[in-house]
Amino acid sequence: MNRVIIYASIHHKNTEKIAFSIASEIDSKAFNFYEAKKEDIERAELVGFGSGVYLSRFHKGLIRFVDELPDQKGKEAFIFSTSGMKKNFIFNRAHIHFKKILKKKGFEVIDEFDCLGFDTYGPIKYIGGINRGKPNSNDIKRAKNFAKSLL
């Protein structure tokens, strides 16, 4: 089975750590959204999309990448994210919004994963950020277990 992961990880590489952890478990390639090609998606049977959560949304570059894809007609996908905040209304909103975008393109979203990430956005940078050291080894282990559950 051909699998691919497309991710956006901008500031602290939180999401990139999770992307490569998942990729190692499901024998897939992981590409930052600006390196990915539409052909990578077309050849894949399973596609993972991951992003940090930026003001309750996935990264706009990843959203633009998906918007430019042709219809995927039932292709299986999963999503994952890292965020400075615990799962709550705002965090869920990011997943809900991105799932709608994927479904519009014909993807069937089969599962999702999230974890905290080191965050220095806005005024919290003045206190040194929050969630230092996240994602940690426990988060990586959870991501790998999530990946195994996809197979």
Side-chain angles (χ1 to χ4, degrees), residues 125-151:
K125 69 182 169 193
Y126 298 112
I127 61 167
I130 56 175
N131 305 318
R132 187 171 296 280
K134 293 291 225 164
N136 61 22
S137 60
N138 287 336
D139 298 315
I140 299 298
K141 184 178 180 180
R142 282 191 326 107
K144 288 182 175 204
N145 286 336
F146 165 77
K148 290 176 188 172
S149 76
L150 295 169
L151 301 178

mmCIF file of all heavy atoms in Angstrom, residues 125-151:
data_model
loop_
_atom_site.group_PDB
_atom_site.id
_atom_site.type_symbol
_atom_site.label_atom_id
_atom_site.label_comp_id
_atom_site.label_asym_id
_atom_site.label_seq_id
_atom_site.Cartn_x
_atom_site.Cartn_y
_atom_site.Cartn_z
ATOM 1 N N LYS A 125 5.193 34.425 24.414
ATOM 2 C CA LYS A 125 6.636 34.371 24.159
ATOM 3 C C LYS A 125 7.401 35.108 25.249
ATOM 4 O O LYS A 125 8.547 34.768 25.542
ATOM 5 C CB LYS A 125 6.976 34.924 22.783
ATOM 6 C CG LYS A 125 6.789 36.411 22.608
ATOM 7 C CD LYS A 125 7.115 36.831 21.201
ATOM 8 C CE LYS A 125 6.653 38.267 20.978
ATOM 9 N NZ LYS A 125 6.655 38.616 19.585
ATOM 10 N N TYR A 126 6.779 36.092 25.889
ATOM 11 C CA TYR A 126 7.448 36.875 26.921
ATOM 12 C C TYR A 126 7.650 36.096 28.217
ATOM 13 O O TYR A 126 8.456 36.491 29.046
ATOM 14 C CB TYR A 126 6.695 38.182 27.180
ATOM 15 C CG TYR A 126 6.656 39.052 25.949
ATOM 16 C CD1 TYR A 126 5.468 39.282 25.279
ATOM 17 C CD2 TYR A 126 7.827 39.612 25.431
ATOM 18 C CE1 TYR A 126 5.431 40.065 24.128
ATOM 19 C CE2 TYR A 126 7.797 40.392 24.278
ATOM 20 C CZ TYR A 126 6.602 40.611 23.639
ATOM 21 O OH TYR A 126 6.586 41.369 22.497
ATOM 22 N N ILE A 127 6.928 35.001 28.359
ATOM 23 C CA ILE A 127 7.134 34.158 29.543
ATOM 24 C C ILE A 127 7.883 32.876 29.177
ATOM 25 O O ILE A 127 7.956 31.944 29.960
ATOM 26 C CB ILE A 127 5.789 33.824 30.245
ATOM 27 C CG1 ILE A 127 4.857 33.050 29.311
ATOM 28 C CG2 ILE A 127 5.139 35.085 30.788
ATOM 29 C CD1 ILE A 127 3.670 32.411 29.994
ATOM 30 N N GLY A 128 8.424 32.837 27.976
ATOM 31 C CA GLY A 128 9.201 31.675 27.545
ATOM 32 C C GLY A 128 8.397 30.596 26.864
ATOM 33 O O GLY A 128 8.909 29.513 26.586
ATOM 34 N N GLY A 129 7.128 30.863 26.602
ATOM 35 C CA GLY A 129 6.292 29.890 25.916
ATOM 36 C C GLY A 129 5.602 28.929 26.867
ATOM 37 O O GLY A 129 5.777 28.988 28.086
ATOM 38 N N ILE A 130 4.819 28.042 26.286
ATOM 39 C CA ILE A 130 4.124 27.014 27.056
ATOM 40 C C ILE A 130 4.404 25.649 26.429
ATOM 41 O O ILE A 130 4.751 25.556 25.259
ATOM 42 C CB ILE A 130 2.593 27.275 27.131
ATOM 43 C CG1 ILE A 130 1.976 27.386 25.731
ATOM 44 C CG2 ILE A 130 2.307 28.521 27.957
ATOM 45 C CD1 ILE A 130 0.456 27.522 25.725
ATOM 46 N N ASN A 131 4.273 24.625 27.213
ATOM 47 C CA ASN A 131 4.450 23.234 26.782
ATOM 48 C C ASN A 131 5.877 22.948 26.295
ATOM 49 O O ASN A 131 6.079 22.197 25.352
ATOM 50 C CB ASN A 131 3.452 22.852 25.676
ATOM 51 C CG ASN A 131 2.030 23.096 26.076
ATOM 52 O OD1 ASN A 131 1.638 22.800 27.195
ATOM 53 N ND2 ASN A 131 1.254 23.661 25.178
ATOM 54 N N ARG A 132 6.838 23.538 26.981
ATOM 55 C CA ARG A 132 8.237 23.290 26.624
ATOM 56 C C ARG A 132 8.499 21.777 26.674
ATOM 57 O O ARG A 132 8.049 21.084 27.549
ATOM 58 C CB ARG A 132 9.170 24.012 27.590
ATOM 59 C CG ARG A 132 10.624 23.928 27.181
ATOM 60 C CD ARG A 132 11.519 24.820 28.006
ATOM 61 N NE ARG A 132 11.232 26.234 27.858
ATOM 62 C CZ ARG A 132 11.634 26.989 26.848
ATOM 63 N NH1 ARG A 132 12.327 26.446 25.876
ATOM 64 N NH2 ARG A 132 11.333 28.268 26.799
ATOM 65 N N GLY A 133 9.199 21.286 25.652
ATOM 66 C CA GLY A 133 9.510 19.858 25.583
ATOM 67 C C GLY A 133 8.437 19.008 24.928
ATOM 68 O O GLY A 133 8.586 17.796 24.817
ATOM 69 N N LYS A 134 7.360 19.631 24.493
ATOM 70 C CA LYS A 134 6.286 18.908 23.811
ATOM 71 C C LYS A 134 6.437 19.066 22.307
ATOM 72 O O LYS A 134 6.840 20.131 21.857
ATOM 73 C CB LYS A 134 4.918 19.436 24.235
ATOM 74 C CG LYS A 134 4.565 19.171 25.678
ATOM 75 C CD LYS A 134 4.337 17.732 25.905
ATOM 76 C CE LYS A 134 3.099 17.469 26.724
ATOM 77 N NZ LYS A 134 2.678 16.114 26.651
ATOM 78 N N PRO A 135 6.133 18.110 21.511
ATOM 79 C CA PRO A 135 5.757 16.762 21.928
ATOM 80 C C PRO A 135 6.953 16.017 22.528
ATOM 81 O O PRO A 135 8.077 16.164 22.074
ATOM 82 C CB PRO A 135 5.286 16.105 20.632
ATOM 83 C CG PRO A 135 5.848 16.920 19.518
ATOM 84 C CD PRO A 135 6.109 18.280 20.058
ATOM 85 N N ASN A 136 6.642 15.234 23.557
ATOM 86 C CA ASN A 136 7.686 14.483 24.258
ATOM 87 C C ASN A 136 7.630 13.003 23.865
ATOM 88 O O ASN A 136 6.884 12.619 22.963
ATOM 89 C CB ASN A 136 7.549 14.677 25.772
ATOM 90 C CG ASN A 136 6.229 14.186 26.323
ATOM 91 O OD1 ASN A 136 5.556 13.348 25.721
ATOM 92 N ND2 ASN A 136 5.831 14.696 27.475
ATOM 93 N N SER A 137 8.425 12.193 24.545
ATOM 94 C CA SER A 137 8.499 10.769 24.189
ATOM 95 C C SER A 137 7.150 10.070 24.344
ATOM 96 O O SER A 137 6.831 9.164 23.567
ATOM 97 C CB SER A 137 9.576 10.058 25.007
ATOM 98 O OG SER A 137 9.302 10.160 26.386
ATOM 99 N N ASN A 138 6.346 10.476 25.314
ATOM 100 C CA ASN A 138 5.008 9.879 25.461
ATOM 101 C C ASN A 138 4.118 10.242 24.279
ATOM 102 O O ASN A 138 3.344 9.411 23.801
ATOM 103 C CB ASN A 138 4.350 10.317 26.772
ATOM 104 C CG ASN A 138 4.974 9.653 27.974
ATOM 105 O OD1 ASN A 138 5.572 8.580 27.867
ATOM 106 N ND2 ASN A 138 4.849 10.291 29.129
ATOM 107 N N ASP A 139 4.215 11.492 23.811
ATOM 108 C CA ASP A 139 3.432 11.915 22.649
ATOM 109 C C ASP A 139 3.870 11.158 21.394
ATOM 110 O O ASP A 139 3.037 10.745 20.591
ATOM 111 C CB ASP A 139 3.587 13.421 22.413
ATOM 112 C CG ASP A 139 3.078 14.251 23.574
ATOM 113 O OD1 ASP A 139 1.982 13.947 24.090
ATOM 114 O OD2 ASP A 139 3.783 15.199 23.966
ATOM 115 N N ILE A 140 5.165 10.964 21.241
ATOM 116 C CA ILE A 140 5.699 10.217 20.096
ATOM 117 C C ILE A 140 5.192 8.776 20.144
ATOM 118 O O ILE A 140 4.761 8.219 19.127
ATOM 119 C CB ILE A 140 7.242 10.249 20.071
ATOM 120 C CG1 ILE A 140 7.755 11.687 19.955
ATOM 121 C CG2 ILE A 140 7.793 9.344 18.990
ATOM 122 C CD1 ILE A 140 7.365 12.416 18.700
ATOM 123 N N LYS A 141 5.194 8.195 21.327
ATOM 124 C CA LYS A 141 4.694 6.818 21.489
ATOM 125 C C LYS A 141 3.205 6.746 21.135
ATOM 126 O O LYS A 141 2.768 5.835 20.430
ATOM 127 C CB LYS A 141 4.922 6.351 22.924
ATOM 128 C CG LYS A 141 4.524 4.914 23.168
ATOM 129 C CD LYS A 141 4.826 4.492 24.593
ATOM 130 C CE LYS A 141 4.422 3.056 24.814
ATOM 131 N NZ LYS A 141 4.708 2.612 26.181
ATOM 132 N N ARG A 142 2.420 7.732 21.587
ATOM 133 C CA ARG A 142 0.993 7.768 21.251
ATOM 134 C C ARG A 142 0.805 7.900 19.741
ATOM 135 O O ARG A 142 -0.071 7.276 19.151
ATOM 136 C CB ARG A 142 0.280 8.923 21.960
ATOM 137 C CG ARG A 142 -0.029 8.684 23.405
ATOM 138 C CD ARG A 142 -0.972 9.714 24.052
ATOM 139 N NE ARG A 142 -0.865 11.087 23.584
ATOM 140 C CZ ARG A 142 -1.763 11.706 22.811
ATOM 141 N NH1 ARG A 142 -2.831 11.076 22.382
ATOM 142 N NH2 ARG A 142 -1.585 12.964 22.453
ATOM 143 N N ALA A 143 1.636 8.738 19.098
ATOM 144 C CA ALA A 143 1.543 8.925 17.647
ATOM 145 C C ALA A 143 1.846 7.624 16.921
ATOM 146 O O ALA A 143 1.174 7.276 15.945
ATOM 147 C CB ALA A 143 2.485 10.039 17.198
ATOM 148 N N LYS A 144 2.839 6.904 17.390
ATOM 149 C CA LYS A 144 3.198 5.621 16.753
ATOM 150 C C LYS A 144 2.079 4.602 16.934
ATOM 151 O O LYS A 144 1.770 3.838 16.008
ATOM 152 C CB LYS A 144 4.517 5.103 17.314
ATOM 153 C CG LYS A 144 5.702 5.917 16.820
ATOM 154 C CD LYS A 144 7.009 5.365 17.346
ATOM 155 C CE LYS A 144 8.160 6.133 16.731
ATOM 156 N NZ LYS A 144 9.398 5.394 16.715
ATOM 157 N N ASN A 145 1.477 4.581 18.119
ATOM 158 C CA ASN A 145 0.351 3.666 18.342
ATOM 159 C C ASN A 145 -0.836 4.042 17.463
ATOM 160 O O ASN A 145 -1.538 3.177 16.931
ATOM 161 C CB ASN A 145 -0.049 3.648 19.807
ATOM 162 C CG ASN A 145 0.938 2.899 20.676
ATOM 163 O OD1 ASN A 145 1.665 2.032 20.202
ATOM 164 N ND2 ASN A 145 1.000 3.245 21.943
ATOM 165 N N PHE A 146 -1.078 5.343 17.312
ATOM 166 C CA PHE A 146 -2.124 5.824 16.412
ATOM 167 C C PHE A 146 -1.859 5.307 14.997
ATOM 168 O O PHE A 146 -2.738 4.793 14.332
ATOM 169 C CB PHE A 146 -2.175 7.351 16.440
ATOM 170 C CG PHE A 146 -2.954 7.960 15.315
ATOM 171 C CD1 PHE A 146 -4.339 7.960 15.331
ATOM 172 C CD2 PHE A 146 -2.301 8.524 14.219
ATOM 173 C CE1 PHE A 146 -5.059 8.516 14.274
ATOM 174 C CE2 PHE A 146 -3.006 9.085 13.168
ATOM 175 C CZ PHE A 146 -4.405 9.076 13.206
ATOM 176 N N ALA A 147 -0.611 5.458 14.559
ATOM 177 C CA ALA A 147 -0.233 5.018 13.209
ATOM 178 C C ALA A 147 -0.499 3.536 13.018
ATOM 179 O O ALA A 147 -1.043 3.125 11.985
ATOM 180 C CB ALA A 147 1.241 5.347 12.946
ATOM 181 N N LYS A 148 -0.130 2.722 13.987
ATOM 182 C CA LYS A 148 -0.362 1.274 13.898
ATOM 183 C C LYS A 148 -1.843 0.968 13.768
ATOM 184 O O LYS A 148 -2.239 0.029 13.064
ATOM 185 C CB LYS A 148 0.213 0.563 15.116
ATOM 186 C CG LYS A 148 1.727 0.544 15.151
ATOM 187 C CD LYS A 148 2.222 -0.089 16.432
ATOM 188 C CE LYS A 148 3.713 0.061 16.570
ATOM 189 N NZ LYS A 148 4.221 -0.373 17.866
ATOM 190 N N SER A 149 -2.676 1.771 14.428
ATOM 191 C CA SER A 149 -4.128 1.532 14.380
ATOM 192 C C SER A 149 -4.704 1.840 12.990
ATOM 193 O O SER A 149 -5.800 1.405 12.676
ATOM 194 C CB SER A 149 -4.847 2.365 15.434
ATOM 195 O OG SER A 149 -4.946 3.721 15.055
ATOM 196 N N LEU A 150 -3.975 2.586 12.183
ATOM 197 C CA LEU A 150 -4.445 2.924 10.839
ATOM 198 C C LEU A 150 -4.324 1.753 9.870
ATOM 199 O O LEU A 150 -5.006 1.707 8.856
ATOM 200 C CB LEU A 150 -3.647 4.100 10.265
ATOM 201 C CG LEU A 150 -3.794 5.436 10.980
ATOM 202 C CD1 LEU A 150 -2.755 6.426 10.479
ATOM 203 C CD2 LEU A 150 -5.212 5.998 10.787
ATOM 204 N N LEU A 151 -3.433 0.818 10.185
ATOM 205 C CA LEU A 151 -3.164 -0.288 9.258
ATOM 206 C C LEU A 151 -4.151 -1.418 9.395
ATOM 207 O O LEU A 151 -4.744 -1.640 10.372
ATOM 208 C CB LEU A 151 -1.736 -0.798 9.477
ATOM 209 C CG LEU A 151 -0.642 0.243 9.269
ATOM 210 C CD1 LEU A 151 0.711 -0.350 9.550
ATOM 211 C CD2 LEU A 151 -0.685 0.796 7.855
#
